[in-house]
Amino acid sequence: MTIKRKIFITNTIMILVALLVLLGVGSLLLTIFQHTFLTHQSENSELSTYTTQVQQMLKEEGYGTDWQQWADALGDYDFHLAVFDTDGETVYSNLNENETESVASIGEQGDNNTESGHHDHGHASEITVSTFFINNVTVLSAGFPADDTLYHFYAASGGSGDTFFSTDKHVFQLFLLLFIAIGAVVILAILFCSRMFTKKLVMQIMEPVDQLAAAAERIEGGDLTQPVVYRQDDEFRNVCDSFNQMQEHLKEGMEKNAAYEKARTEMISGISHDLRTPLTSVKGYIKGLKDGVAVTEEKRQQYLDIAYSCACDMEELLSKLFYYSKLETGNMPFYKQSTDVKEYLQHYVEGRKKDLTVQPAFLEFHSTCQEDCFLDIDQEQMKRVFDNFVENSIKYAGTRPLIMRILLEKRSDDSVVITFSDNGNGVEREKLPYLFDQFYRGDEARSDGEGSGLGLYVCQYIVKEHGGIIRAENQGGLHLMMYFGNNEGEV
């Protein structure tokens, strides 16, 4: 599961838990408030305590049309008065807002039966008083004849404007306290869920981070053997895998550098030995000439020839080192041109035959190409490759007479294969994979003092620069095969 998905799910669960807590506490609040409110409503859904006394007062017609006196008398029983004439005009009223609304609703009903169903009718000669209970307001209604006019007389009690803050004050306080309690519980629930899920998420995120930090410290200390083990399937999995790959590459690079440094040290030591041997000879023969050891002209000429030959050997070794240095620094230019390889190899073999006359060695060329075979090559660099092949065979083949062959093949897919082989003893099987490594010498003991371990490495470098690959095999002698073209490397 990805980190994004974990964060989304965590936040969603946190919100859902908080909402469930809010719903549960809210339901409890509504249950409690509903019970308290209905109880309060039930207690306040009764007619005024003084309803009977006011009914009796209205029937007695004690104050005539002195409305203020009526109002004062009704005030003693916590009732208010409203009087209307036959046209519905207000003659007198000291009702509050709620009482006025209740009286107005009664007027629309025509002074008939009411919601409460409370009625009290006297004899025909008596005033009829109707009793209503609307919106917690007790209203007594009567028709009052006076001065040849029928007045509509209303006495109302209850429903004052400050009911909610006075009569129902405790209900409001209870609701407010429960609301604050719910808010506090919800806030605490959200904080708790947030802390719990965030802590879990942070632990999941910090686990790979801590492992990567510890691995970085191990690498800084030189320990490249322990990989980062992280099995969760999220974004950090790729990071840890990449870190392990980086550590593995770094380890391989360090091992390669260590091997390279070792080989370079051995090469420097070997080259020092190779240079010291001819240099000692040169110094010895020159000293012999100076000291008059060579007393005859023939002897002096022999000394000079040997010194010259040793100097040539040193020059050749230094030339190889210089060439290798130019390859490694990328300063060796390649000048490629389209060349008929068949003709080029024929000329090369003819030229080398003259150099091999002093050696019991033979160089042959064979080709299976029935037509011209062209490749883009640097002729000078490729000559260096074949020179290395010939020199290695002469030095290490271990057989006489030495027969060397160059075979040119062109395959049906237009790929070109050039094989150099000899009839020597070949190379030990376990050493074949290392022949083209820099500084590698098949004769680790350096018993003959020859070779720098650079010849075949340089050959491989040149072949690669021409877009080909090179391989070595034992087939009745050493076979060096170079592949150029579409299927490079396929035998």
Side-chain angles (χ1 to χ4, degrees):
M1 186 182 297
T2 63
I3 298 297
K4 289 182 179 179
R5 189 169 181 82
K6 287 181 180 179
I7 293 175
F8 174 77
I9 293 177
T10 298
N11 290 337
T12 302
I13 293 176
M14 182 176 65
I15 293 173
L16 287 177
V17 170
L19 290 176
L20 290 175
V21 173
L22 176 63
L23 181 63
V25 178
S27 300
L28 179 62
L29 170 64
L30 290 176
T31 301
I32 296 174
F33 181 76
Q34 182 181 19
H35 178 267
T36 304
F37 180 78
L38 291 178
T39 301
H40 178 78
Q41 288 294 94
S42 175
E43 292 174 352
N44 290 276
S45 296
E46 300 177 358
L47 296 175
S48 173
T49 307
Y50 303 104
T51 299
T52 303
Q53 289 87 336
V54 174
Q55 287 176 344
Q56 188 63 34
M57 181 188 297
L58 294 178
K59 291 178 181 180
E60 291 177 354
E61 307 178 36
Y63 304 106
T65 57
D66 189 350
W67 309 123
Q68 185 59 49
Q69 191 171 1
W70 275 105
D72 293 339
L74 291 173
D76 293 338
Y77 299 103
D78 198 22
F79 273 78
H80 300 95
L81 176 65
V83 180
F84 303 93
D85 59 18
T86 54
D87 296 327
E89 297 294 331
T90 302
V91 178
Y92 180 87
S93 176
N94 65 347
L95 303 179
N96 60 37
E97 183 177 352
N98 290 343
E99 292 170 344
T100 300
E101 292 177 358
S102 299
V103 169
S105 65
I106 294 173
E108 293 174 358
Q109 297 178 24
D111 290 344
N112 293 320
N113 292 340
T114 68
E115 297 174 5
S116 62
H118 293 289
H119 298 283
D120 187 356
H121 300 285
H123 299 290
S125 60
E126 294 180 349
I127 294 176
T128 301
V129 178
S130 299
T131 303
F132 303 87
F133 187 77
I134 302 174
N135 297 329
N136 290 332
V137 177
T138 302
V139 181
L140 302 180
S141 172
F144 188 79
D147 300 333
D148 297 329
T149 301
L150 180 63
Y151 294 96
H152 295 281
F153 195 99
Y154 297 93
S157 175
S160 61
D162 59 348
T163 301
F164 186 76
F165 296 99
S166 57
T167 307
D168 296 339
K169 184 176 181 180
H170 67 285
V171 178
F172 173 75
Q173 290 175 341
L174 177 61
F175 176 80
L176 184 62
L177 290 175
L178 290 176
F179 181 81
I180 294 173
I182 284 180
V185 170
V186 170
I187 290 173
L188 291 175
I190 293 176
L191 290 176
F192 175 77
C193 294
S194 175
R195 179 177 176 82
M196 181 178 64
F197 289 116
T198 301
K199 183 178 180 181
K200 183 177 180 181
L201 186 60
V202 168
M203 289 177 61
Q204 292 178 346
I205 294 176
M206 290 307 298
E207 178 185 356
V209 172
D210 291 340
Q211 290 189 29
L212 290 172
E217 291 181 0
R218 289 198 304 270
I219 292 176
E220 185 179 4
D223 183 3
L224 299 174
T225 60
Q226 300 184 37
V228 177
V229 180
Y230 185 72
R231 296 184 175 84
Q232 298 296 328
D233 188 15
D234 54 32
E235 292 87 347
F236 280 109
R237 178 69 174 270
N238 294 331
V239 175
C240 293
D241 289 344
S242 299
F243 189 92
N244 289 334
Q245 292 179 5
M246 178 199 69
Q247 178 176 277
E248 189 63 27
H249 291 325
L250 185 59
K251 180 182 177 182
E252 292 175 358
M254 292 179 66
E255 291 175 349
K256 186 176 181 180
N257 287 338
Y260 174 83
E261 286 299 319
K262 180 181 178 182
R264 188 174 68 88
T265 302
E266 292 176 353
M267 183 203 70
I268 293 175
S269 176
I271 289 174
S272 299
H273 176 272
D274 292 343
L275 287 174
R276 187 181 299 111
T277 301
L279 182 59
T280 302
S281 297
V282 170
K283 288 173 62 179
Y285 285 108
I286 292 176
K287 185 172 178 21
L289 290 173
K290 288 177 64 178
D291 294 343
V293 175
V295 294
T296 65
E297 184 62 28
E298 183 182 359
K299 197 71 171 179
R300 284 194 295 271
Q301 189 61 43
Q302 182 183 2
Y303 276 29
L304 287 174
D305 289 342
I306 295 175
Y308 178 75
S309 177
C310 290
C312 289
D313 290 341
M314 288 192 296
E315 182 184 23
E316 182 182 356
L317 183 57
L318 291 173
S319 176
K320 286 184 178 180
L321 288 174
F322 179 70
Y323 187 81
Y324 168 75
S325 176
K326 293 180 71 174
L327 288 180
E328 288 297 289
T329 56
N331 294 324
M332 176 59 69
F334 284 81
Y335 303 102
K336 300 176 184 178
Q337 55 183 323
S338 181
T339 303
D340 185 341
V341 183
K342 181 177 180 181
E343 182 180 341
Y344 171 77
L345 292 176
Q346 285 175 341
H347 289 164
Y348 174 78
V349 170
E350 291 299 323
R352 282 309 302 253
K353 281 181 179 180
K354 299 175 183 179
D355 300 331
L356 297 174
T357 55
V358 296
Q359 299 281 349
F362 303 92
L363 181 60
E364 303 173 354
F365 172 69
H366 302 278
S367 174
T368 61
C369 295
Q370 302 301 321
E371 55 187 15
D372 295 337
C373 181
F374 284 87
L375 286 176
D376 290 334
I377 63 172
D378 184 321
Q379 296 183 11
E380 186 63 28
Q381 300 290 357
M382 288 303 295
K383 180 178 180 299
R384 188 181 297 274
V385 171
F386 291 107
D387 285 344
N388 268 305
F389 291 166
V390 171
E391 291 172 7
N392 279 346
S393 288
I394 293 173
K395 290 178 182 178
Y396 304 114
T399 186
R400 292 293 183 271
L402 175 63
I403 301 174
M404 298 172 288
R405 295 182 178 88
I406 297 178
L407 174 63
L408 174 64
E409 301 175 85
K410 187 173 183 180
R411 296 182 175 179
S412 58
D413 57 3
D414 290 334
S415 62
V416 176
V417 182
I418 302 174
T419 304
F420 181 91
S421 61
D422 60 34
N423 62 337
N425 299 324
V427 178
E428 296 177 18
R429 185 181 184 89
E430 62 271 12
K431 294 181 179 180
L432 281 175
Y434 308 105
L435 282 183
F436 301 101
D437 292 349
Q438 56 188 345
F439 311 135
Y440 179 76
R441 294 165 56 89
D443 181 14
E444 294 85 350
R446 304 184 59 86
S447 59
D448 56 6
E450 295 180 345
S452 61
L454 293 175
L456 290 181
Y457 171 76
V458 170
C459 292
Q460 176 180 248
Y461 186 96
I462 294 173
V463 171
K464 283 186 176 179
E465 285 296 317
H466 284 82
I469 64 172
I470 186 170
R471 285 183 176 178
E473 294 181 359
N474 280 321
Q475 296 182 15
L478 181 63
H479 282 55
L480 298 171
M481 294 167 287
M482 295 176 289
Y483 300 84
F484 304 90
N486 297 331
N487 295 325
E488 298 169 359
E490 290 187 9
V491 179

